[in-house]
């Protein structure tokens, strides 16, 4: 196996075009474990860590852009990810433990596309766009089209995720991510990501995504419609949860049975919405 460490995106894309069996490595938190377990064999590893243009968080009036190799820890501490984008910051802070958060990158997380991961649902709730580059050029992939199946994405051969673009969201929006895991630091048994706007006591905007509840993160517009116009009372939350659970297709595995996961959905939804409604994440 060869390890190449290009200094620019162009150089990395040229390597991917030229080499038959080349694969990117970002934080290595997942890929190295898979290689050690003989689940993946790679001829050429293309390290992304030296490519400065892939890292960091920048903002304009309209959006926040997170470079693909930005570490979870930096995202969890970012003062830029406020309002609606608190959902992404909150998800980053709940990934595993500090050692993994200091190593793993947001690009690596979404390219691995583990349905139990925290970013997929948070990015769906935040209405993200994934920017991907290849030797042929750059394209923008709406988050709803990025995850295709268990561990499968819309990325094509030779493409590198360069950034995650986050629109600022509606005025007054707040976002939050909640997860239930068996022990602290584990992947989610179920997670809920929510972005809300409250107009007084009434919900005027809701964007909700379920994680760890099927092969890809789940968003149900009818569930959001059940919340909008309501005071987020028990009846509205129960109806939204019913619609979300209907769309869920959770597995039966070591983190919980299908039945248990379905039971968690209304509880986690209520927890996320009540936290946002009470304004507890206003400063996040
Ligand atoms: C002990 C442990 C606990 C964890 N717990 C959680 C958890 O609770 N929640 C959670 O969400 N995650 C969890 N993770 C996963 C962690 O968040 C990893 O960061 C993530 O899975 C992979 O990120 P990485 O940067 O290390 O990617 P790598 O391991 O370097 O790469 C992963 C995959 O993505 C590809 N890739 C990487 N970057 C790019 C790119 N820019 N463009 C194209 N392809 C790319 C690689 O080729 C590889 O296929 C855990 C991991 C460990 C080891």
């Amino acid at each position: 196996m060869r390890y190449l460490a290009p200094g620019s995106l162009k150089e990395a894309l040229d390597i991917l075009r030229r080499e038959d069996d080349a694969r990117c490595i970002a934080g290595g938190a997942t890929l190295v474990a898979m290689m050690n377990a003989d689940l993946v064999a790679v001829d050429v590893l293309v390290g992304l860590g030296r490519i400065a243009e892939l890292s960091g968080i920048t903002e304009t009036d309209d959006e926040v852009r997170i470079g693909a190799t930005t570490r979870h820890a930096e995202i969890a501490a970012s003062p830029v990810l406020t309002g609606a984008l608190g959902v992404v910051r909150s998800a980053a802070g709940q990934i595993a433990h500090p050692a993994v958060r200091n190593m793993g990158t947001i690009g690596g997380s979404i390219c691995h596309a583990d349905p139990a991961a925290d970013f997929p649902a948070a990015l769906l709730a935040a209405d993200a766009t994934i920017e991907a580059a290849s030797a042929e050029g750059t394209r923008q992939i709406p988050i709803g089209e990025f995850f295709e199946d268990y561990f499968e994405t819309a990325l094509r051969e030779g493409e590198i995720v360069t950034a995650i673009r986050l629109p600022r969201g509606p005025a007054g929006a707040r976002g939050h991510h909640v997860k239930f895991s068996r022990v602290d630091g584990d992947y989610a048994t179920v997670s809920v990501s929510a972005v809300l706007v409250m107009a007084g006591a009434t919900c005027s905007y809701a964007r909700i995504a379920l994680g760890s509840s099927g092969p890809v993160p789940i968003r149900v517009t009818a569930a959001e419609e059940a919340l909008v116009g309501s005071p987020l009372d028990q009846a509205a939350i129960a109806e939204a949860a019913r619609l979300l659970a209907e769309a869920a297709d959770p597995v039966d595995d070591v983190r919980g049975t299908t039945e248990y996961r379905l039971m968690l959905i209304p509880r986690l939804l209520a927890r996320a919405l009540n936290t946002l409604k009470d304004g507890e994440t206003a400063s996040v």
Side-chain angles (χ1 to χ4, degrees):
M1 188 190 74
R2 280 179 297 147
Y3 176 75
L4 304 176
S8 72
L9 177 61
K10 183 181 176 315
E11 214 184 312
L13 293 172
D14 283 346
I15 296 169
L16 290 184
R17 182 165 55 176
R18 167 175 97 224
E19 301 284 348
D20 274 346
D21 186 17
R23 189 156 178 165
C24 295
I25 181 162
T30 300
L31 187 55
V32 171
M34 289 171 75
M35 288 164 65
N36 286 343
D38 275 339
L39 293 170
V40 184
V42 183
D43 280 349
V44 181
L45 270 183
V46 184
L48 302 181
R50 286 185 54 225
I51 306 177
E53 64 208 269
L54 289 183
S55 180
I57 303 175
T58 52
E59 60 177 330
T60 62
D61 285 348
D62 300 333
E63 68 172 26
V64 171
R65 181 189 164 89
I66 306 180
T69 60
T70 309
R71 314 260 174 196
H72 308 332
E74 186 180 342
I75 297 169
S78 172
V80 161
L81 296 171
T82 54
L85 306 187
V87 71
V88 177
R89 176 174 160 165
S90 149
Q94 293 177 63
I95 294 174
H97 293 294
V100 173
R101 292 200 288 273
N102 286 329
M103 190 177 175
T105 68
I106 188 167
S109 174
I110 63 168
C111 291
H112 183 55
D114 186 331
D118 291 285
F119 279 133
L123 295 180
L124 183 57
D127 198 13
T129 297
I130 309 305
E131 187 179 278
S134 69
E136 279 71 50
T138 299
R139 69 183 176 119
Q140 310 293 328
I141 309 168
I143 189 72
E145 296 167 21
F146 185 77
F147 299 104
E148 295 190 331
D149 207 339
Y150 291 103
F151 306 100
E152 275 184 32
T153 70
L155 268 195
R156 299 180 189 138
E157 194 77 25
E159 276 186 326
I160 293 178
V161 166
T162 47
I164 290 83
R165 298 175 53 196
L166 303 169
R168 290 202 178 270
R174 287 198 296 262
H176 189 50
H177 176 81
V178 296
K179 72 191 270 190
F180 177 86
S181 42
R182 295 171 304 169
V183 290
D184 184 48
D186 194 7
Y187 282 89
T189 304
V190 171
S191 67
V192 171
S193 296
V195 175
L196 278 192
V197 179
M198 295 301 289
T202 305
C203 172
S204 62
Y205 175 91
R207 196 170 157 113
I208 313 288
L210 272 183
S212 217
S213 302
V216 297
I218 294 166
R219 183 173 166 236
V220 179
T221 48
E224 295 162 1
E225 285 160 13
L227 299 170
V228 172
S230 83
L232 297 186
D233 52 355
Q234 258 187 340
I237 295 176
E239 176 58 5
R242 187 187 67 76
L243 291 162
L244 284 166
E246 229 172 59
D249 183 18
V251 288
D252 217 327
D253 70 8
V254 289
R255 296 199 179 92
T257 61
T258 300
E259 194 188 1
Y260 184 61
R261 287 182 146 102
L262 291 173
M263 274 174 47
L264 283 173
I265 292 172
R267 287 160 177 78
L268 292 183
L269 180 66
R271 196 181 297 170
L273 296 179
N274 288 328
T275 303
L276 288 169
K277 185 175 146 185
D278 297 343
E280 283 172 26
T281 62
S283 61
V284 172

